[in-house]
Amino acid sequence: MTATTAQAPALVLSRIVIRLGPVALIDGLDLVIAPGTVATVMGPSGSGKSSLLAYVAGFLDRRIFQASGVVSIDNADVTTLKPQQRGLGLLFQDDLLFPHLSVAGNLLFALPETVRGRTERRAQVDEALASADLAGFGERDPATLSGGQRARVALMRVLISRPRALLLDEPFSKLDSVLRDQFRAMVFEQARRRALPVLMVTHDPQDAEAAGGPVISL
């Protein structure tokens, strides 16, 4: 099974095979995702969607699964690198905000160490919050935020880490229909603006339609 997008790929999956015992969940997947493009992997529960995302991210449980294939970002093979070395940003169904940190503290946690100086680090956090229509929310407790606001903070925490690609594990599924549409549009717009390749797994055809990129069905 093969899906490609044209020119200047930033995230490339080559000959990906993932097996669970005798069952091949993924059998020879080749996928090229260009900057700013959202590729969607669809299928029912147990079809291998999340396993594929875990393999790309580097945390697939090899005690349970057998897997092979190459993951490249910007023409660099990252297949054997640890998850934190791959330069990938992950957004999940749950926002996973740290409850003991403020909104700003959550973003500061993800800010690269190369950004130095308290003033500069706080300025980048404030800029990220403003871009998510959350200006002035830095000192808020995450528990006081609405579901949509928490989702936006989670997104900005991923983006402020300066990933080279985004992985989306059904991050819209727990939002109501109105918030889902709004947040989905925001995620895709941020990815396009930053020229990030995006790999999304979902069971919702509306997610794939909104993404507008290649679709792989498992």
Side-chain angles (χ1 to χ4, degrees):
M1 46 188 166
T2 303
T4 60
T5 55
Q7 300 186 9
L11 178 60
V12 180
L13 312 184
S14 302
R15 305 180 304 279
I16 305 298
V17 176
I18 301 177
R19 303 185 67 88
L20 180 60
V23 179
L25 301 176
I26 310 292
D27 190 9
L29 172 65
D30 294 309
L31 176 62
V32 181
I33 310 175
T37 298
V38 182
T40 303
V41 178
M42 299 192 65
S45 297
S47 62
K49 301 189 307 297
S50 294
S51 298
L52 174 62
L53 215 62
Y55 182 75
V56 174
F59 53 80
L60 184 70
D61 191 340
R62 296 305 188 94
R63 298 169 299 179
I64 300 175
F65 297 93
Q66 303 81 47
S68 62
V70 178
V71 178
S72 300
I73 303 175
D74 293 335
N75 297 317
D77 185 347
V78 302
T79 313
T80 62
L81 296 182
K82 296 179 180 179
Q84 65 271 23
Q85 298 173 321
R86 299 190 179 202
L88 295 169
L90 285 82
L91 202 60
F92 297 99
Q93 293 182 22
D94 298 309
D95 54 68
L96 302 179
L97 298 180
F98 299 122
H100 63 289
L101 296 178
S102 66
V103 168
N106 270 272
L107 270 63
L108 285 167
F109 179 86
L111 196 62
E113 293 182 358
T114 53
V115 181
R116 301 183 181 277
R118 180 176 180 179
T119 299
E120 177 59 23
R121 291 176 67 82
R122 188 55 192 252
Q124 292 206 18
V125 166
D126 289 343
E127 181 180 351
L129 290 174
S131 71
D133 198 24
L134 293 170
F137 278 64
E139 300 311 312
R140 291 277 294 271
D141 184 330
T144 68
L145 304 182
S146 68
Q149 290 168 340
R150 290 176 64 93
R152 281 181 278 157
V153 173
L155 172 63
M156 299 319 297
R157 186 175 63 178
V158 170
L159 294 177
I160 206 171
S161 70
R162 301 180 181 176
R164 294 188 290 168
L166 285 180
L167 305 180
L168 308 180
D169 189 359
E170 305 200 45
F172 319 121
S173 61
K174 291 192 174 181
L175 299 174
D176 64 42
S177 59
V178 174
L179 287 177
R180 184 187 185 104
D181 291 344
Q182 294 173 348
F183 185 54
R184 183 169 53 203
M186 178 184 178
V187 171
F188 295 163
E189 172 58 27
Q190 289 283 347
R192 283 190 291 267
R193 185 184 307 170
R194 298 163 190 262
L196 294 172
V198 181
L199 178 61
M200 173 176 66
V201 301
T202 183
H203 64 276
D204 189 339
Q206 292 185 358
D207 289 345
E209 182 179 357
V215 179
I216 299 91
S217 297
L218 303 180

